[in-house]
Amino acid sequence: MYYNWREKTNTEELKVICNLIKNGELVIFPTETVYGIGANALDKDAVSKIFIAKGRPADNPLIVHIADKRDIEKYVREITPVEQKLIDTFMPGPFTLILPKKDIIPDIVSGGLDTIGIRMPSNVIARGIISFSGVPIAAPSANVSGRPSGTSIEDIRKELEGRVSAIIDGGETEIGLESTVVKVIHEIPVILRPGKITDKDIIDAVGIAKYDNKIFEKVTEEQIVESPGMKYKHYAPNTKCKMVYCEDELDQIFYINRYIRQYKGDVALLSFDEHREKIVVSDSRFISLGSKNNLEEIARNIYSALRKADSINAEVILIEGVKREGIGIAIMNRLLRAAGYDILEK
Ligand code: TXA
Ligand code: MG
């Protein structure tokens, strides 16, 4: 069933949705980052339906969503002072903290690990569903495993309608990129997945933070990683993609134009408004991520733009990169993974 809550939450329908969750069904709901496919995190049969609906590898753990910070201690064994400070500073918000799990959370949620990711969304619809259901909600991004995350309801309906019991439309997501995932290792907050909350934000809060060095590397399934999500193909269109990034913008445009002129087949381009007139590609092959100077806008558009570029069925999608600063770090992480780390040769 499809529920339109763009304008406001419907309380009668909210009861129906919470009953579905309590009865072990799957519900797609908006958060401030991306849409999630939610199920009762305490019910292993309900959670197993998520893995089936997404075609997700069983060892890739899910994030547990809560609506009240006081609930964290019900699901985790220990919280250190640094972790508590991170909770106090960044929750609710686009932030996930990895903590040691209690047995009440079934192993299927954590993909067999003895930790779980805890996240308290700020989105009002998400919070309403979690608190009225009265259970924590396990929710990965709303997309088939390996595909771009769901941020627009039209894309999500095309991909997942029929695989879940309810889809709640809360409009376009505000941030457009998944939460920053952090694990405190030897008292240092390590960012396992970059997001809107950056290393600088965490340093401001607790004095220290670092990015996991696998964030910008291609990781194979055999490698040992802190976060299983790093190993798998992610955010990827079906069309082959190539990343182009140069410090100098004119160089970047030069290499793109040279590639398009030399390549024999059909090329689509994921670019910026300002580059429309500068690149030798037809309007139908030009998809804009927004203004090159507005990283927040680019973040919001990234997944719908990747899907749109894919729907052209070109032979190659060239993806223009951005400077790795602020949310640009997270944008580049997603774009590089979409491109399978295939970088245009200069
Ligand atoms: O913004 C978000 O985080 C969205 C919304 C729906 O809340 N959720 C989301 O979930 O992006 P998902 O499942 O698509 O990504 C969760 C990531 C994966 O890369 C996973 O490997 C990592 O978090 N993760 C989850 N639990 C973990 C754990 N215990 N240890 C290390 N990494 C973990
Ligand atoms: Mg995901």
Side-chain angles (χ1 to χ4, degrees):
M1 271 289 277
Y2 167 81
Y3 299 88
N4 186 339
W5 293 2
R6 281 184 186 220
E7 300 303 324
K8 69 192 245 310
T9 305
N10 177 314
T11 13
E12 279 312 302
E13 290 173 356
L14 179 61
K15 284 186 200 149
V16 174
I17 297 294
C18 293
N19 278 327
L20 287 172
I21 294 280
K22 281 188 263 187
N23 290 330
E25 300 299 329
L26 303 186
V27 173
I28 291 182
F29 63 96
T31 82
E32 68 277 22
T33 57
V34 300
Y35 276 79
I37 308 185
N40 177 356
L42 303 178
D43 176 348
K44 66 177 185 348
D45 296 326
V47 173
S48 77
K49 293 181 187 169
I50 297 179
F51 285 88
I52 296 165
K54 284 191 59 130
R56 183 175 174 109
D59 71 346
N60 195 2
L62 305 178
I63 294 169
V64 174
H65 295 68
I66 54 159
D68 185 335
K69 286 184 202 178
R70 286 168 300 186
D71 286 345
I72 299 177
E73 62 186 37
K74 294 187 194 160
Y75 313 122
V76 316
R77 292 196 304 271
E78 200 196 335
I79 302 172
T80 64
V82 177
E83 289 162 344
Q84 189 59 51
K85 189 84 209 280
L86 293 171
I87 292 168
D88 295 341
T89 313
F90 298 113
M91 292 190 194
F95 183 78
T96 297
L97 188 59
I98 308 297
L99 292 164
K101 96 174 181 59
K102 281 189 175 164
D103 291 341
I104 182 175
I105 302 288
D107 287 339
I108 185 170
V109 174
S110 64
L113 299 175
D114 71 350
T115 53
I116 42 162
I118 296 276
R119 165 154 137 75
M120 180 178 179
S122 59
N123 179 284
V124 177
I125 296 178
R127 293 268 287 284
I129 295 173
I130 304 162
S131 53
F132 285 101
S133 301
V135 293
I137 296 186
S141 51
N143 53 276
V144 166
S145 198
R147 302 268 302 145
S149 299
T151 51
S152 116
I153 208 74
E154 290 73 27
D155 292 340
I156 292 168
R157 291 184 81 173
K158 266 188 232 149
E159 195 161 296
L160 293 166
E161 199 141 51
R163 299 196 197 193
V164 298
S165 297
I167 297 183
I168 297 165
D169 182 351
E172 300 272 314
T173 49
E174 197 184 306
I175 298 172
L177 289 178
E178 304 85 343
S179 60
T180 304
V181 176
V182 172
K183 184 175 181 182
V184 178
I185 303 173
H186 306 306
E187 292 177 41
I188 300 174
V190 180
I191 300 173
L192 306 181
R193 180 176 69 183
K196 182 178 161 67
I197 293 170
T198 63
D199 57 340
K200 291 210 174 51
D201 298 322
I202 298 173
I203 291 169
D204 284 346
V206 297
I208 187 164
K210 70 184 275 295
Y211 284 102
D212 187 292
N213 51 24
K214 301 250 172 14
I215 275 180
F216 294 110
E217 278 173 26
K218 185 168 184 154
V219 180
T220 61
E221 289 196 24
E222 293 74 41
Q223 273 175 279
I224 295 166
V225 287
E226 277 298 336
S227 180
M230 292 171 170
K231 289 186 304 192
Y232 295 108
K233 189 182 137 210
H234 249 89
Y235 321 117
N238 295 317
T239 315
K240 175 181 148 68
C241 299
K242 267 182 184 293
M243 161 64 64
V244 202
Y245 179 71
C246 306
E247 283 286 323
D248 185 280
E249 195 185 354
L250 290 178
D251 278 349
Q252 189 158 317
I253 293 169
F254 173 83
Y255 289 119
I256 292 167
N257 281 331
R258 191 176 70 181
Y259 183 88
I260 294 173
R261 288 206 178 95
Q262 287 177 355
Y263 190 78
K264 299 279 177 294
D266 189 4
V267 182
L269 184 74
L270 207 59
S271 181
F272 313 111
D273 298 345
E274 292 84 353
H275 289 185
R276 174 56 292 207
E277 300 307 323
K278 301 193 169 86
I279 289 173
V280 292
V281 77
S282 68
D283 282 346
S284 69
R285 297 293 180 266
F286 184 92
I287 309 285
S288 180
L289 287 163
S291 166
K292 70 178 170 57
N293 301 317
N294 188 343
L295 293 178
E296 309 276 324
E297 180 186 21
I298 294 171
R300 261 196 311 279
N301 289 334
I302 213 167
Y303 293 125
S304 50
L306 279 168
R307 285 165 189 277
K308 206 162 147 195
D310 202 18
S311 71
I312 292 171
N313 289 320
E315 277 154 62
V316 184
I317 303 170
L318 288 185
I319 301 178
E320 289 202 62
V322 300
K323 205 176 167 104
R324 283 180 204 174
E325 61 185 26
I327 200 172
I329 298 167
I331 292 171
M332 275 304 263
N333 167 264
R334 305 310 194 274
L335 291 178
L336 275 165
R337 297 194 64 179
Y341 296 86
D342 185 345
I343 295 165
L344 186 83
E345 278 183 43
K346 290 167 193 146

